[in-house]
Amino acid sequence: MRRKSFDVLFATKTGMGWLAQHPTLWRSLFYFVISMGAFTGVCTNIAFADQYLWVRLGVLLGVLSAHLLIIIVFGCFLHGLIDACGGGSGNVWGLLCIMGFTTLPFLVLTPLALMAMRLGGMAVLVLPIACILGYIWCVYLLMRAVEAVYLLNFRQAFVVVVFALLLWALMLGLPIYLGVHFLALAFFS
């Protein structure tokens, strides 16, 4: 298992190619839970240190459930976008089986989050940097996953994933922007 996770993180073309040929949802879910659970657990346990343990566990489970739902919905959205663009040689099941592995960078960045939260002060500024690095790494792994599942080259996978992220941001951000804009006009006019 360690060799597979190492290949996914650092030899992504080989690792994602193997995962595309041997899809397993349970292993993907396991890697998602340990990577996002460790990173989020460090952040929420220190941020909510004065709360009861069951409150901290509830926050952790809520954040993990939200992240899992986002991954599933984005994976289906990405599959639909690729299918609509004519690249439907892959399957959504294979992509969803790989999506949990794309969160593995957060397992690598968990000690950095622990250090930032424990030291406090200016060290807390390391946490947003760790999050940005983790998400960029996850997007790179997602491009490699799309490349492996849908038999695209890396450039095509890059364009599809970036376009999907921009569409996703537009679909989520535009209603929020319009709502805030109309509320501001209603209150300040």
Side-chain angles (χ1 to χ4, degrees), residues 6-187:
F6 180 84
D7 285 346
V8 167
L9 286 171
F10 301 109
T12 54
K13 187 168 179 134
T14 310
M16 290 295 180
W18 186 89
L19 289 175
Q21 295 170 357
H22 305 90
T24 170
L25 192 59
W26 293 110
R27 188 180 300 150
S28 180
L29 185 63
F30 171 73
Y31 278 123
F32 168 80
V33 168
I34 64 165
S35 57
M36 288 306 291
F39 190 82
T40 308
V42 164
C43 297
T44 57
N45 277 330
I46 294 174
F48 296 101
D50 54 342
Q51 299 294 324
Y52 292 111
L53 184 61
W54 60 271
V55 172
R56 289 184 278 171
L57 183 63
V59 169
L60 175 64
L61 290 176
V63 170
L64 275 179
S65 301
H67 271 94
L68 184 62
L69 184 64
I70 289 169
I71 282 181
I72 291 169
V73 171
F74 187 72
C76 293
F77 172 74
L78 193 59
H79 171 75
L81 183 65
I82 292 171
D83 198 29
C85 293
S89 63
N91 60 358
V92 70
W93 177 256
L95 183 63
L96 290 178
C97 287
I98 293 178
M99 292 284 279
F101 286 90
T102 61
T103 60
L104 274 174
F106 285 103
L107 185 63
V108 175
L109 295 172
T110 298
L112 192 62
L114 182 62
M115 179 194 72
M117 296 300 281
R118 275 289 180 205
L119 293 177
M122 295 298 283
V124 175
L125 297 176
V126 174
L127 190 62
I129 294 169
C131 287
I132 290 170
L133 284 174
Y135 281 117
I136 290 172
W137 199 352
C138 288
V139 168
Y140 172 72
L141 292 179
L142 181 61
M143 290 173 202
R144 286 297 190 185
V146 167
E147 179 187 6
V149 173
Y150 293 95
L151 305 175
L152 303 171
N153 61 31
F154 185 73
R155 187 178 48 123
Q156 292 170 328
F158 174 79
V159 169
V160 167
V161 170
V162 169
F163 183 66
L165 287 173
L166 291 175
L167 275 179
W168 186 263
L170 185 67
M171 286 189 305
L172 293 178
L174 190 60
I176 294 170
Y177 168 75
L178 290 175
V180 169
H181 187 71
F182 287 141
L183 282 175
L185 283 176
F187 286 123

